[in-house]
Amino acid sequence: MMTSLMPQLSLRFIPVWRRNLLVWRKIMVPSVLGNFGEPVLYLLAFGYGFGQLVGDLGDLPYMVFLASGIICSSAMYTASFEGMYSAYTRMSEQKTWDGLLGAPLNLDDIVLGEIMWAATKALMSATAILVVAALLGLVSDLRALLALPVILLAGFAFAACAMIVTALSRSYDFFLYYFTLAITPMLLLSGVFFPLDQLPDVIVILAHLLPLVHVVEVIRPLMIGEWPVNVLLHLSVVAAYGLVALSLSTWLLRRRLMC
C-alpha cells in the first residue's frame, strides 16, 4: 500500500485521458452546448443588459471587462464539474476505475488522467467563449491567444481541488457544499463581474488568497491588448494550488480505494 503523500507521476495518465476523450466524443454536442451555453448567456445578458446601466469602467467597456471574467469563470466551473460529478460517476457508479486498475496502471495514473482531462475540457470551453468574444469584437489582438495556456493551468488547479472533494464525497449531494462555499464566493470576489477595487481592503486581501483572482489578473490584460504584471506571482499561486491539491487528492483516494 502506498503511503507517500507525493503522487507517482508518469506518462501512464495519457491512456486514461484518451479513454475519457473517446467517450466524450460520443456525447460531444450536448456536452459542448452545456458547458458553452450558460457562460455565453451570462456574457450576453450581463454584458448587454447590465452593461447599459454600468457603462464604461474607465476606458474599458463593461462588455469587454466581463468577457475576460466569463472565460476564467467558465474554466473554473467546467473543470470543477468534471472533476467532481463526472469523475465520481466513473469512480463510484460505473466502476470504470476498477477496470482501469486491471490494466498496467496505478491509482496515481488514474487521478492525474482525470485531472488532466478536466483541465482539457476547461480549455475547450474557454476557447469556445474566446472565439465568441472575438466575433463580438471584444478581443483586442492576438495576445489573447496567450490566455489559452493560462486557462489550461487554471483548469488543472480547479480540477485538482475538485478531486479532493470527490475523494471525500459519499454522494452527489456533497458537491453542492463545495459549489456553495467555495466556487460561488470565488466567482463573486475575484473580479469577474466588477473590479476588485470596489471592495473593502480586507475582502481584496482575502480574494487574493483564492486562485481565480490570479487567473483573472493574467487573462484580462491579455484580452484587452495589454501585458499583465506580476505574471510569475499569479501563475505560481495557481500552480501551487494545483500541485498541492493533486498530492492531497491522490493521497485521499489511495486511503479510500486501496485500503
Side-chain angles (χ1 to χ4, degrees), residues 24 40 44 47 68 86 97 109 122 138:
W24 176 79
V40 171
L44 296 177
S68 54
S86 298
W97 289 17
D109 303 324
L138 306 177

Side-chain angles (χ1 to χ4, degrees), residues 132-144:
V132 172
L135 293 175
L136 293 174
L138 306 177
V139 176
S140 294
D141 56 39
L142 291 177
R143 269 177 283 197

Side-chain angles (χ1 to χ4, degrees), residues 24 27-37 82 117 121 124:
W24 176 79
I27 57 170
M28 179 173 60
V29 173
S31 177
V32 169
L33 290 177
N35 291 329
F36 170 68
E82 186 69 22
W117 168 242
K121 286 197 69 176
M124 290 188 291

